Amino acid sequence: MIGAVDIGGTKIAVGMLDREGRILARREQPSGSDLTLPDGLRLIFAMLRETAREAGGELEGLGVGCTGPVDALAGTLQRIEFLPTWQGCPLTAELQTAFGVTAFLENDADAAALGELAWGAGRGAKRFIYVTVSTGIGAGLVLDGRLYRGVEGAHPEIGHHVIDPSGPLCSCGAHGCWESLAGGPALARRAGLPSALAVCQAAEGGDAAALRAVEQEAYFLGLGIANLVTLYTPDVIALGGGVMRSRGLFWDKILQTIRENCGLVPYEKTRLVPAQLGGDVGLAGAAQVWIKGSQPVD
Ligand SMILES: [Zn+2]
């Protein structure tokens, strides 16, 4: 069995999975900026030991998906907004020392893309893009069955490509990047409601202002996806994340925006599909990080 660790901005999930992606045992704890590195490591190690005992199999290896910038090749964490004291942590080395098995680390969007590729919406696709739309927009890109990496293993930040340079300033320093225009907070702001979920519920109830905000959200989501179709024309693009639980509100407008903006590529051959793994994508993705990482490079 494979140990999986999913480190997010608000929670840390840990689980044991078999080679078919079935979750045999799982634990979850809140994280947050007050969680120090030593406490965080103790927590992760304890949850791994508990789930390993519960699942009862032999631990083959450990995979990690982590929010924010990570050095996937070195297995270290970089400057993560939600976990400031974790910067520089050699996480895979710590795990290998504690458990005596190999460990691999990826950015969480890349991990989720690998999970959906193996066990979800991307099965069978050679060129696959996974996009998660929640507080932020994250994406992982798979080309010819392999995760795409930038220079020195860098994770390309597709959620921060600029859609409208006259748009709002993002924490990344750019104006009008995709996340700043189509992330959950942008949807909430447009409707003047506290959360994207509240906007979706109001829109489903027929509220006119919420429906207008949803229409704009779908347009900006569609523009970013249309850019991905024009740039890569992949076999499949899968959409996941909290906002996409209400995908019925956005789907037609996204497809319309693709049709209107992708005139030079066979956009109709790129299948736009909902992600399939739902709340399990973090653990499934982390398990795939180990499976992919432990395969010999051809
Ligand atoms: Zn940005």
Side-chain angles (χ1 to χ4, degrees), residues 30-112:
S31 64
S33 55
D34 54 343
L35 184 65
T36 64
L37 177 61
D39 286 348
L41 288 179
R42 260 194 296 275
L43 183 68
I44 290 168
F45 291 180
M47 288 198 287
L48 280 169
R49 290 197 182 97
E50 281 170 32
T51 50
R53 205 177 309 126
E54 189 181 317
E58 189 189 337
L59 186 65
E60 291 180 84
L62 292 162
V64 185
C66 183
T67 179
V70 303
D71 185 334
L73 300 183
T76 58
L77 306 186
Q78 296 176 326
R79 198 178 59 81
I80 296 170
E81 191 184 344
F82 309 105
L83 299 165
T85 64
W86 294 42
Q87 184 171 354
C89 168
L91 186 57
T92 57
E94 296 273 7
L95 288 167
Q96 281 167 193
T97 304
F99 291 89
V101 294
T102 55
F104 295 95
L105 165 72
E106 296 285 358
N107 166 277
D108 56 352
D110 283 339

Side-chain angles (χ1 to χ4, degrees), residues 25-219:
R26 70 199 308 167
R27 291 282 187 287
E28 200 174 295
Q29 287 284 336
S31 64
S33 55
D34 54 343
L35 184 65
T36 64
L37 177 61
D39 286 348
L41 288 179
R42 260 194 296 275
L43 183 68
I44 290 168
F45 291 180
M47 288 198 287
L48 280 169
R49 290 197 182 97
E50 281 170 32
T51 50
R53 205 177 309 126
E54 189 181 317
E58 189 189 337
L59 186 65
E60 291 180 84
L62 292 162
V64 185
C66 183
T67 179
V70 303
D71 185 334
L73 300 183
T76 58
L77 306 186
Q78 296 176 326
R79 198 178 59 81
I80 296 170
E81 191 184 344
F82 309 105
L83 299 165
T85 64
W86 294 42
Q87 184 171 354
C89 168
L91 186 57
T92 57
E94 296 273 7
L95 288 167
Q96 281 167 193
T97 304
F99 291 89
V101 294
T102 55
F104 295 95
L105 165 72
E106 296 285 358
N107 166 277
D108 56 352
D110 283 339
L114 292 176
E116 287 284 348
L117 178 73
W119 295 318
R123 261 176 292 203
K126 290 193 83 172
R127 294 145 294 244
F128 173 62
I129 303 178
Y130 169 79
V131 177
T132 175
V133 187
S134 54
T135 307
I137 295 182
L141 174 60
V142 173
L143 297 176
D144 291 327
R146 307 250 312 248
L147 189 66
Y148 173 82
R149 294 183 194 283
V151 61
E152 292 181 6
H155 164 70
E157 287 288 350
I158 288 170
H160 293 270
H161 81 277
V162 173
I163 299 269
D164 175 4
S166 65
L169 178 65
C170 176
S171 60
C172 73
H175 283 268
C177 65
W178 194 20
E179 176 173 310
S180 75
L181 288 166
L187 173 59
R189 199 170 55 238
R190 271 191 207 104
L193 289 171
S195 69
L197 178 64
V199 183
C200 292
Q201 285 170 342
E204 275 156 3
D207 180 88
L211 282 166
R212 274 195 303 278
V214 159
E215 174 94 1
Q216 288 177 305
E217 166 77 8
Y219 172 66

